[in-house]
Amino acid sequence: MNIVKINNRVNLITEENKKFKTFTVSFYFHNELDEKTASEYSLLPYVLKAGSKGYPDMTAVSNALEALYGGMFDCSIRKKGEDQIVGLSFEFLSPSYAREKDYLENVWHFISDMLFNPLVEKDGFNSGYTEREKNNLIDYIDSLINDKKEYANHRCTEEMCKGDNYAVFEYGKKELVEKITPEILYNRYLEMIKKSRVDIFVMGNVDIKMLEAKIKELNLGDGNAIYPLCDMKKESGSVKEIKEAFDVNQGKISMGFTYRTDDRYALTVFNSVFGSGAHSKLFNNVREKLSLCYYAYSRVDSFKGIMKVNSGVEFENFKKAYDEILVQLNSVCEGKITPEELEASKKSVINNLKSLNDSLFSYENYILNGLVKGEITDIDEYIEKINSVTKEDIMKVAKTVKLDTVYYLTGGAK
């Protein structure tokens, strides 16, 4: 992997890999997660994807991709700490398998037109596309309430980190989406293109030098844009409890914890032992042995220094499941980890790390995490570090984990 600093706000990350028959080109724009702008940034890539001046509608976009051997153009919104990342990603057949000599030139023409030659009317984006994508985004935001598992997880985050930008939903708010005009959105686009921190990836089976030259020709403006910073969640000293009632047959518990450790390798194995996977203590004890829940798993966000435990539970088992989750955490603190549990937990982490090499986009996301955190670790080195984690290392991490917030989604009238 090679990182070229194009200027003070733009990085180009490249890696040629001939084991793939495709290559990817991805642009990631980093923006401070803020309630005032989150809705605009989340809408923006979908309007860009709808059409450009050279490819003015979805039919033209689809036809162009089909002509490029079934290329792919996708967009994403990612939240890494308090960094709201607008992602625009492309995947194409490697030039090694294309018939046309100017194939790569045609690919680049499509990419550059879709990203930097948007369909503009007067001083704003195409009004029809903007309105359509606004409705799609509103439908998506409304649908969150129907996915009770993710809704409970989101509400726990909101309550746990109230007052922090981290609590903001990365797709924004319905009422703020409704207020976006084509002009407002276009101005947000211009600001992002000119001022945001940008990471550009070129990965896979392709002539890196040709695309590197094209990217440098974009003349992206210089500046001192940095990755948005995220403070670690502080211990509150008391446990906050929130209950919300819905007309549902199954309850949800989302438990938010803080932790403190500089050993991210031990943290990763701790999470695997405790609640990440079918080998974990939460799965095997709370779910399987005691049948206290339909699911139970832990999820760590190392950008914020928090861990969430999410569980689907019958209403009458709320207290039992809550208590048993804490019992399992305490068992890790006390070092009640069998050699088989430790081996299975490490193996699970290592298999996930190895699988990153099987997908260009997964590998990109791994590198992107490292860029935002300011530390990129080679996958083989990461695996070595995981293998060296001891039971004592895991216990040390577990003892820093403190319960902060508990969210209950209960039955009954709201």
Side-chain angles (χ1 to χ4, degrees), residues 37-96:
T37 59
S39 301
E40 295 167 19
Y41 281 126
S42 66
L43 177 63
L44 180 53
Y46 296 95
V47 174
L48 286 174
K49 187 182 176 186
S52 66
K53 286 182 180 176
Y55 308 92
D57 54 41
M58 295 187 74
T59 299
V61 172
S62 179
N63 288 341
L65 289 169
E66 188 63 29
L68 295 170
Y69 298 93
M72 184 278 292
F73 175 27
D74 204 358
C75 54
S76 62
I77 298 295
R78 306 184 196 194
K79 173 181 174 180
K80 297 186 186 295
E82 293 175 13
D83 184 356
Q84 184 186 21
I85 304 173
V86 175
L88 296 144
S89 299
F90 304 82
E91 185 173 23
F92 296 98
L93 181 72
S94 167
S96 303

Side-chain angles (χ1 to χ4, degrees), residues 6 15 44 54 59 72 76 108 114 127 131 143 171 176 192 196 207-208 241-242 250 257-258 268 302 322 353 361:
I6 293 179
E15 184 165 317
L44 180 53
T59 299
M72 184 278 292
S76 62
W108 179 251
M114 294 304 299
S127 57
E131 197 62 30
S143 72
Y171 285 91
L176 295 181
M192 183 183 79
S196 295
D207 179 1
I208 299 290
E241 290 195 356
I242 302 96
Q250 182 190 120
F257 300 80
T258 59
T268 302
S302 58
Y322 168 92
L353 287 167
F361 287 124

Side-chain angles (χ1 to χ4, degrees), residues 3 7 11 21 45 48 68 128 130 142 151 190 196 200 233 261 300 325 327 343 347 350 369 373:
I3 300 178
N7 60 41
N11 285 327
K21 292 186 177 181
L48 286 174
L68 295 170
T130 302
D142 283 343
Y151 178 78
L190 292 175
S196 295
I200 306 171
K233 175 73 173 70
T261 181
V300 166
I325 288 167
V327 165
E343 181 181 359
K347 185 176 181 180
I350 289 168
N369 285 339
K373 291 179 181 178

Side-chain angles (χ1 to χ4, degrees), residues 122-247:
K122 296 181 181 179
D123 297 321
F125 281 115
N126 177 281
S127 57
Y129 294 167
T130 302
E131 197 62 30
R132 183 187 68 200
E133 296 308 324
K134 279 173 61 177
N135 291 333
N136 289 339
L137 180 56
I138 288 169
D139 288 344
Y140 178 78
I141 293 170
D142 283 343
S143 72
L144 179 66
I145 193 69
N146 297 320
D147 185 344
K148 295 299 187 292
K149 180 192 294 187
E150 282 305 312
Y151 178 78
N153 178 62
H154 173 64
R155 286 289 294 118
C156 184
T157 299
E158 278 190 327
E159 294 293 337
M160 185 177 182
C161 301
K162 187 174 287 186
D164 287 356
N165 283 340
Y166 184 84
V168 174
F169 183 40
E170 60 267 34
Y171 285 91
K173 284 189 170 183
K174 176 180 177 178
E175 56 268 29
L176 295 181
V177 174
E178 290 171 340
K179 295 178 180 179
I180 298 173
T181 65
E183 294 75 22
I184 288 173
L185 192 63
Y186 184 57
N187 285 330
R188 181 61 58 201
Y189 163 80
L190 292 175
E191 183 175 5
M192 183 183 79
I193 292 295
K194 294 175 182 177
K195 296 182 179 180
S196 295
R197 182 81 183 186
V198 190
D199 289 317
I200 306 171
F201 286 77
V202 179
M203 299 274 176
N205 192 346
V206 69
D207 179 1
I208 299 290
K209 290 183 180 180
M210 182 273 188
L211 287 173
E212 182 176 332
K214 291 290 187 183
I215 289 166
K216 288 179 177 178
E217 288 174 5
L218 288 172
N219 194 27
L220 293 167
D222 203 349
N224 291 314
I226 62 172
Y227 297 105
L229 302 177
C230 182
D231 294 329
M232 293 291 102
K233 175 73 173 70
K234 296 178 181 177
E235 291 183 20
S236 62
S238 60
V239 178
K240 183 193 301 185
E241 290 195 356
I242 302 96
K243 292 184 179 180
E244 285 188 328
F246 288 85
D247 185 15

